[in-house]
Amino acid sequence: MSVDGAATGHAMRSLRLLLEAYAGCELPQWDLFASNVRVVRVEPGTVLFSVGEHHPYIYFVQRGLFKAQMPCEGDRLTTVFFPEEGDVLASMSALGSEGVRRVASRGLHPRSESLRAAVAAETVHTVTAIEHSLLLRASYRVIEHLSTQYLQWARLTMTIALMHATTLQADAAWLRSTPEQRYRSLLREHPGLVQRVTQRDLASFLNITDVALSRIVKRVRGDALPTITTQDVGVAPVVLHGSALA
């Protein structure tokens, strides 16, 4: 992984359009924010950040694909999502939001016990590059500082958090489907992703074995095959006792 200097003008213009779309307005002190943005280039297999790490950065994925994994059943990692182009990527628990830490540490939330990573400001995911990827990285501390000074930046952080919550709700509904229904949904709504990841990573994402996924893929492909009739191949029907058997 290499961290270059300041981002190019084109990259920063694209990022500004994105963030101001989230904020719904122009963002003041943009030059201060931009001076802290760095370009990050990663090779396939590179770990961007790991479980238990303090990592108060936000990434904006310009190009490439990653897999985010969580520990499951001991040391085994299971894939929970695939950050890709256009995603805002960060470990929410590692950002160290003071409000979250305060509420969780005082036991004021019914699930405070499960929020221990947020109290310790540690990431709960390991994020690894699947493809050659390019990101823009910003320190959350800079965004947090600007949010205390300007309503526009506070609106930006709120909208990003709401987007994160909205996608989590959509994922929760999606997870109530069977693995085959989820696979078919991916093919309909996100066919490009299915082509970009390995079968093992896809099986992990669907929480099934490689063998089970192979069976699902075979069934889905079988459903997609066209039904061939005699009219399609130009063969005359055979007539038996006045009935046509095609």
Side-chain angles (χ1 to χ4, degrees), residues 21-196:
Y22 271 107
C25 57
E26 291 188 2
L27 293 168
Q29 290 293 317
W30 177 260
D31 289 345
L32 172 61
F33 170 76
S35 66
N36 287 276
V37 175
R38 295 292 178 267
V39 177
V40 178
R41 304 175 194 274
V42 293
E43 304 294 321
T46 301
V47 174
L48 194 62
F49 53 82
S50 302
V51 171
E53 184 179 339
H54 294 269
H55 201 83
Y57 294 103
I58 291 181
Y59 295 89
F60 306 95
V61 185
Q62 303 293 294
R63 182 178 69 248
L65 181 67
F66 296 80
K67 59 181 176 182
Q69 299 176 295
M70 294 184 69
C72 179
E73 298 176 2
D75 295 332
R76 186 173 72 87
L77 292 175
T78 184
T79 303
V80 290
F81 59 96
F82 295 103
E84 58 182 320
E85 295 92 347
D87 270 330
V88 179
L89 172 61
S91 172
M92 300 297 287
S93 57
L95 293 182
S97 173
E98 187 56 37
V100 174
R101 296 176 64 183
R102 183 167 53 250
V103 171
S105 63
R106 295 178 184 177
L108 300 177
H109 190 276
R111 297 179 62 186
S112 292
E113 184 61 25
S114 62
L115 299 176
R116 285 176 294 176
V119 174
E122 295 176 348
T123 179
V124 296
H125 297 111
T126 292
V127 175
T128 307
I130 294 176
E131 301 173 351
H132 293 277
S133 302
L134 175 69
L135 312 97
L136 298 181
R137 188 187 77 182
S139 169
Y140 178 68
R141 297 289 167 257
V142 175
I143 298 175
E144 189 176 42
H145 168 73
L146 289 168
S147 297
T148 64
Q149 304 296 315
Y150 302 98
L151 177 62
Q152 297 93 326
W153 284 93
R155 187 180 299 158
L156 166 68
T157 57
M158 179 188 70
T159 305
I160 290 177
L162 286 174
M163 178 65 78
H164 178 66
T166 301
T167 56
L168 286 180
Q169 287 184 331
D171 289 346
W174 184 74
L175 287 170
R176 297 179 71 87
S177 304
T178 66
E180 182 165 335
Q181 288 171 331
R182 298 201 299 272
Y183 178 74
R184 290 177 182 273
S185 175
L186 279 176
L187 285 179
R188 282 194 314 271
E189 300 170 10
H190 213 340
L193 177 64
V194 177
Q195 302 299 319
R196 295 170 72 183

Side-chain angles (χ1 to χ4, degrees), residues 179-215:
E180 182 165 335
Q181 288 171 331
R182 298 201 299 272
Y183 178 74
R184 290 177 182 273
S185 175
L186 279 176
L187 285 179
R188 282 194 314 271
E189 300 170 10
H190 213 340
L193 177 64
V194 177
Q195 302 299 319
R196 295 170 72 183
V197 301
T198 65
Q199 181 164 310
R200 174 166 294 181
D201 284 333
L202 188 57
S204 175
F205 181 54
L206 296 172
N207 199 27
I208 56 178
T209 64
D210 292 2
V211 173
L213 177 58
S214 294
R215 291 172 181 159

